Amino acid sequence: MAGTPQYEDQIIRNVFAISLREQDADGTANPPVICLQGLAQELQAEGRPLLFGKDTIDRAIMARLLDPPEQYPQWPLHYLTGCYGRATAEIRQISSLRDKDAANRLQLDLQYCKELIASNAGLLLTMADSLFPQPDQAVSQGPLQLLEGLTSSDSSLPAGFLEDLVNRIEPDDLPDLVVRLMTGINQKLLKTSPLGEWSGLLQAILRLSSIKPIARALTQSPAWLGAIPGLSLRPDEGRQVLLTLLGPAFALAVLPDPQWTNATRPEPSVGQQCFSDVQNRRQSDVTASQHSLRLTMSSIVDSLHNISMDFLRNQDTREAMVKWIGICLEWNSKERSKMKMDYAHAAPDSFFINLDAVLLKMCEPFLEPLSGKAWGKVDAGYVTNNTRISFQEETKLNMEAEEEKTYLQQRRASQEGASSSASSSSGAAGSRPGSDGAAGNGPNYHFICECFFLTAKGLHLGLSKAITESADVARELPHYIRGQQEIEAAIQGSSGMELHMLRAQATKVKAHVELLHERKLCFDTVLQEPSLLRNAIAFYRLLATWLMRMAFPPLTQGQMPFVPLPDPIPVQFRCLPEYFVDDLCELMLYVGQHSPKSLEGLQVEDIMTFMVVFMGSPACLKNPFVRSRISEVCLTALMQTLNCMLSCRHCSGGCVSHSADVRQMLRWFWTAFKNRLDRQLFLLDNPLLDDPCHPARQYPATMLGDPLPANLTTLLCVRLTPQRYVSS
C-alpha cells in the first residue's frame, strides 16, 4: 500500500538494485540485484527492521559502492547514472497515486536519493583513486566515462543528472573535469566527417554549454583558447584554433584539408564516398549527394549556432565567446589574407565556412536595413579603436597610410583629452573598459556593432577566400585534364622503358585529376548552399546600405543619393577597409555566375544602387581595380536582366526584370558611366559595334524604357551571345 514502509522499501530496492535479504538477490536481473549483507547485519544489531528508508539510503549507497560485487556488468559511475534514471522514472509513476500526501512524501525521498546519487558520483570523479574501489580502466578514464551517455541516444545520461552533478562538485575541481570531457569529445570530432556519427558529439557539446556552471568552467580554463602545457601559442599560427575547445566542432569538414594525411583524414571521406570516379557517374547521383551534404551542413551549422548562443546568452561567458571569435579571426588574418596561403599555418576552409555561417545567423535579427535595428549601433570607430581585431594592415577605401597614421594620432589625442576632462570632472580615473568590461581599454561597443564587424572580417577570411580557392581549382582542372589526354595519346606510340614511364606518369596525373574533381565538387557543394548565400547577400545588403549612409549622410534624412557623391567624403568612411567593397563584388559575381537562383526573392536593389553610385564616385574608391570589379558586377547583372527580358518577350510583364526598379537601375548605370568612368572599360571600341549585321544593332532600346541611351543598349548586347537573340 502506498505510503507504508514496505512500499518505500520496494521503491528504494528498485532504484538501487539492492536488497537486505539473500532471497531477494537476483544476478540475472538487469541490472543485477545485490544483497547488502553487511548493512543487513548492522540493522539487525541495532534492532531495526530490514527495510530501506530515507534514514538508511545514505548507508545503503556507501555500502554498495565500498564493497562492489565482482564481475558486475557496470562500472560504479554507470551504476549511479542508472540509479538516477530509475529514481526519475519512479517519481513520474508516483505522481499518479491517489494518496497525494504519500505521493509528495515519496517524491521528496526520491529527490533526496537523486541528490545522494549526484554527490557520490562527484566523489567518484574527484576522488576516484582513494575513496571507492573501481576498475583500473574506469579510474584512467575518469570523466570520460560520461562520454558514452552524452553522445549515445541508446544509453543517454538521465535528464538533470549533469546539472545535479556539477552543483555538487567543488568549483576548483570542475574546470579540469569538464575540459577533460570536452577534450574527449574533440578527439572523436577530429576523426569524424559529416558522413559519420557527428550528431551525438555536437549534441554532447550543446548539452554541456547549456549548463551555466559548465559553460563558465570551460571559458575560464586556459584550454578555452588552446593553451596546452609545454606548447607556446603564436598569434600568426592560425591553425592553432583547432587546439581550442570549440575548434574541432567548427572544423567539421565537407571541404578537404590539404594538411590531412591518411592517418588524420576524418572518416568516412566525403570526397571518396560522394564524388569518386565522378566522370563515370550519373549527374543525378552527384546532384543527390550534393543535396544530402547540404542538408547535413545545415544541421551542423544549426548545432554550432545553438552552442555559440548558449555561451553568448550567459553573461558570465559572453565575453569569452566573443573573444574566441576575435582570436580565430586575428590568428588567421595574416595567412588567409595572402593570395597563396599556406594551409600549414592557417585554419582550414571548412572551419571558416562554419564560422561564417554561424556569424551570419547571429546577424539575422538586425540584417533588414529597413528595420533600423543596426543604425545607431554600428559605429565606424570600431575599425580604428577596437581592441578585439585589427584593421590596421588592411588597405583602406581612400586613405593613404601616412594620412591614416596622422588621423589616428589626432583621434587618439582628442579621445585622451576628452577622457582626462571627464575624469577630472567626475572624480573617476582611467578610461572605459572594453566590451563587457574585458576586451581591453577601448570603447564599449554594442554587441550588434561587434557582430557586424566580426562577420565582415570573417567573410573576408572565409567565404571570399574559399571562392578564390574554388576558382583556382576550377582553373587548374582543365590544365591537368589536357595533360592527361596528351600523355594517353603519347602512350599509343610508345614502347619499352618510355611506355613504362608514361604509364606511371599517366597514373599519377589521373589520380590528381580525380582529386581535383573531388575538391571542385566539394567546393561547389559548400559555396552554393542556398541558405549560406542568401544570408551572405542579406548581410552585404546591410553593409552596402551602411556604406551609403556613411558616404552620403543626407541619406539618413531621406535625401536620395546622386552621382557623383559630393565632396568631401567623410574621413571615417575613407579609412574603412577596402575589402568591404571587394568582397561584396566577389560574392555577387560568384552568385551571378554559379547560383543565380539564390537571388530569387531577395531585395538586391540596395546593393545595385550602392554599386552604381560608387562606380560613379571615384572619390570614394581610390583603387581602380575595385571600381572595375563593380563595373563587372553591374554588367553581369544587366546582361542577365537583358537575357531574361529577351527570353520573356511574350510574358505578361510579371518577370522581375521588367520592374520599374530595374529600368531605373539601368538609367542610373548610364549616368554613372557618362559622368565618371573610362569608356574603354566597357569596350566601346569593340569592332563588333561596327558590324551592321550584329544582332545588337537590331535590339530596341525602347524595350528598357526611355530615356536610356541606345548606345548603352548596344554596348550591353555586344557582351551577350548572338544565339540569345534568335527568335524562337
Side-chain angles (χ1 to χ4, degrees):
M1 180 177 178
T4 63
Q6 290 77 11
Y7 188 80
E8 184 177 8
D9 171 74
Q10 180 63 45
I11 290 177
I12 294 175
R13 286 192 287 128
N14 292 339
V15 168
F16 292 98
I18 53 178
S19 72
L20 291 171
R21 296 178 176 84
E22 192 68 39
Q23 63 268 25
D24 293 332
D26 185 0
T28 62
N30 184 21
V33 178
I34 305 302
C35 177
L36 303 180
Q37 295 179 352
L39 179 60
Q41 294 172 1
E42 292 177 11
L43 293 177
Q44 286 178 337
E46 297 171 3
R48 302 177 62 177
L50 295 182
L51 295 174
F52 290 113
K54 183 176 181 180
D55 56 343
T56 59
I57 295 174
D58 194 4
R59 295 171 65 181
I61 295 176
M62 294 297 291
R64 170 64 180 78
L65 293 177
L66 288 173
D67 187 19
E70 295 182 0
Q71 297 181 344
Y72 196 76
Q74 291 179 319
W75 290 347
L77 184 61
H78 296 158
Y79 163 74
L80 288 177
T81 59
C83 293
Y84 192 97
R86 291 190 291 273
T88 302
E90 290 288 350
I91 290 176
R92 285 197 300 267
Q93 292 181 7
I94 289 173
S95 63
S96 62
L97 293 178
R98 293 183 179 180
D99 188 346
K100 297 303 179 184
D101 291 337
N104 291 336
R105 185 171 64 255
L106 290 172
Q107 286 179 336
L108 289 175
D109 291 349
L110 285 170
Q111 191 61 43
Y112 178 63
C113 289
K114 292 171 67 174
E115 293 174 2
L116 289 176
I117 292 169
S119 296
N120 283 278
L123 293 175
L124 274 172
L125 293 174
T126 56
M127 305 177 65
D129 55 348
S130 60
L131 185 58
F132 299 118
Q134 296 187 75
D136 293 339
Q137 190 177 0
V139 174
S140 64
Q141 286 204 11
L144 295 182
Q145 298 175 72
L146 299 171
L147 195 56
E148 182 180 359
L150 280 172
T151 59
S152 173
S153 58
D154 297 332
S155 57
S156 59
L157 291 178
F161 176 77
L162 274 180
E163 288 83 350
D164 284 348
L165 175 64
V166 299
N167 288 331
R168 284 162 179 78
I169 293 179
E170 291 294 327
D172 294 340
D173 295 330
L174 186 58
D176 290 341
L177 289 178
V178 295
V179 167
R180 191 173 174 190
L181 189 56
M182 272 290 295
T183 303
I185 296 173
N186 287 338
Q187 289 174 350
K188 290 179 175 291
L189 277 171
L190 289 174
K191 301 176 182 178
T192 305
S193 79
L195 299 179
E197 300 296 330
W198 57 268
S199 179
L201 298 171
L202 290 190
Q203 287 303 311
I205 299 177
L206 181 59
R207 186 165 180 183
L208 295 177
S209 65
S210 65
I211 302 173
K212 289 187 177 182
I214 292 181
R216 183 167 56 249
L218 288 173
T219 57
Q220 291 174 352
S221 168
W224 174 253
L225 298 179
I228 297 176
L231 176 66
S232 58
L233 297 177
R234 294 175 53 189
D236 58 340
E237 286 288 339
R239 202 169 183 84
Q240 289 174 154
V241 300
L242 299 182
L243 301 177
T244 64
L245 290 184
L246 291 182
F250 276 78
L252 262 172
V254 170
L255 294 177
D257 184 353
Q259 293 301 113
W260 285 341
T261 63
N262 290 334
T264 61
R265 180 184 292 107
E267 296 295 340
S269 171
V270 173
Q272 294 177 3
Q273 290 283 335
C274 299
F275 306 124
S276 61
D277 195 24
V278 68
Q279 293 172 303
N280 297 321
R281 297 180 64 180
R282 294 181 301 177
Q283 181 61 38
S284 59
D285 293 340
V286 175
T287 303
S289 297
Q290 290 181 316
H291 179 70
S292 177
L293 285 173
R294 286 168 184 158
L295 291 177
T296 302
M297 286 172 51
S298 180
S299 298
I300 290 173
V301 169
D302 287 341
S303 297
L304 294 176
H305 176 251
N306 291 333
I307 292 168
S308 302
M309 293 307 296
D310 279 341
F311 287 105
L312 291 172
R313 293 190 186 101
N314 187 346
Q315 291 295 328
D316 296 334
T317 59
R318 170 180 287 188
E319 170 59 26
M321 185 66 206
V322 179
K323 183 178 181 180
W324 178 81
I325 295 173
I327 282 179
C328 290
L329 300 178
E330 199 61 19
W331 284 356
N332 285 276
S333 181
K334 181 177 179 180
E335 192 63 41
R336 289 191 67 90
S337 294
K338 295 179 180 179
M339 293 186 65
K340 193 66 175 179
M341 68 174 171
D342 184 356
Y343 279 96
H345 304 290
D349 293 316
S350 279
F351 176 92
F352 265 92
I353 292 296
N354 288 334
L355 181 61
D356 288 350
V358 170
L359 286 170
L360 288 170
K361 290 181 75 69
M362 290 181 188
C363 293
E364 282 182 354
F366 60 87
L367 279 184
E368 174 54 54
L370 296 179
S371 70
K373 293 181 180 180
W375 311 142
K377 300 179 181 67
V378 178
D379 184 357
Y382 186 91
V383 172
T384 54
N385 291 349
N386 90 92
T387 58
R388 183 117 33 219
I389 54 177
S390 174
F391 295 90
Q392 185 175 355
E393 301 298 325
E394 309 294 349
T395 304
K396 302 304 187 290
L397 287 173
N398 198 353
M399 183 176 283
E400 300 296 338
E402 288 299 321
E403 183 183 1
E404 180 187 7
K405 183 178 180 181
T406 303
Y407 167 69
L408 293 179
Q409 290 174 346
Q410 294 173 349
R411 185 180 178 90
R412 194 173 297 113
S414 64
Q415 288 176 344
E416 290 174 356
S419 176
S420 301
S421 176
S423 298
S424 60
S425 62
S426 63
S431 58
R432 289 188 295 172
S435 177
D436 291 329
N441 295 322
N444 187 13
Y445 292 103
H446 195 280
F447 176 73
I448 287 179
C449 182
E450 294 243 36
C451 198
F452 179 85
F453 286 103
L454 290 173
T455 303
K457 185 153 190 171
L459 289 171
H460 174 62
L461 299 176
L463 182 60
S464 294
K465 188 63 178 177
I467 289 174
T468 302
E469 292 293 311
S470 173
D472 291 343
V473 172
R475 282 192 295 268
E476 188 178 2
L477 181 57
H479 169 74
Y480 276 90
I481 290 177
R482 287 194 299 269
Q484 181 184 10
Q485 293 171 346
E486 291 172 358
I487 294 173
E488 290 174 351
I491 288 177
Q492 302 300 323
S494 303
S495 60
M497 182 59 67
E498 182 183 7
L499 178 61
H500 178 74
M501 294 175 60
L502 286 174
R503 284 177 174 172
Q505 189 176 3
T507 302
K508 184 183 297 185
V509 173
K510 182 179 180 180
H512 191 69
V513 168
E514 183 72 18
L515 179 63
L516 288 177
H517 272 297
E518 292 177 9
R519 290 196 65 195
K520 181 181 182 301
L521 288 171
C522 286
F523 271 114
D524 291 345
T525 301
V526 171
L527 296 179
Q528 295 174 30
E529 203 278 317
S531 62
L532 174 65
L533 291 180
R534 293 173 71 87
N535 287 343
I537 292 169
F539 175 81
Y540 278 115
R541 180 193 173 206
L542 176 68
L543 177 63
T545 306
W546 180 73
L547 290 174
M548 284 289 298
R549 291 165 63 95
M550 287 289 299
F552 187 66
L555 185 64
T556 60
Q557 306 300 323
Q559 182 177 339
M560 294 300 294
F562 50 87
V563 180
L565 291 178
D567 292 331
I569 302 298
V571 65
Q572 276 195 322
F573 171 85
R574 295 193 295 116
C575 69
L576 293 175
E578 185 180 88
Y579 68 70
F580 282 6
V581 180
D582 197 22
D583 291 347
L584 168 58
C585 296
E586 186 79 47
L587 176 66
M588 295 304 292
L589 285 172
Y590 182 84
V591 172
Q593 294 169 4
H594 300 283
S595 186
K597 289 186 177 180
S598 299
L599 296 172
E600 292 179 359
L602 293 181
Q603 297 180 358
V604 295
E605 288 81 1
D606 295 329
I607 294 178
M608 295 309 298
T609 299
F610 165 82
M611 293 283 185
V612 170
V613 171
F614 274 59
M615 186 171 58
S617 304
C620 295
L621 290 170
K622 68 177 181 180
N623 191 340
F625 172 76
V626 177
R627 295 202 302 275
S628 70
R629 295 295 298 277
I630 291 178
S631 70
E632 189 177 356
V633 173
C634 290
L635 283 173
T636 300
L638 291 170
M639 286 187 289
Q640 289 179 348
T641 298
L642 291 174
N643 279 334
C644 183
M645 296 174 78
L646 288 169
S647 62
C648 300
R649 286 181 180 180
H650 305 294
C651 76
S652 59
C655 177
V656 66
S657 301
H658 290 170
S659 69
D661 291 337
V662 173
R663 291 196 294 271
Q664 178 65 26
M665 202 61 59
L666 294 173
R667 289 193 288 271
W668 275 49
F669 177 83
W670 172 249
T671 303
F673 167 80
K674 179 178 63 177
N675 277 279
R676 291 281 178 173
L677 297 177
D678 183 3
R679 301 190 176 201
Q680 293 295 329
L681 184 65
F682 298 109
L683 305 181
L684 282 182
D685 293 331
N686 194 311
L688 289 174
L689 291 175
D690 299 328
D691 182 6
C693 299
H694 192 274
R697 294 293 191 183
Q698 313 300 322
Y699 186 75
T702 55
M703 186 172 179
L704 297 175
D706 293 328
L708 189 70
N711 55 348
L712 174 60
T713 305
T714 302
L715 160 66
L716 296 175
C717 294
V718 168
R719 288 294 192 92
L720 303 174
T721 57
Q723 288 78 7
R724 300 293 298 169
Y725 296 89
V726 177
S727 299
S728 57

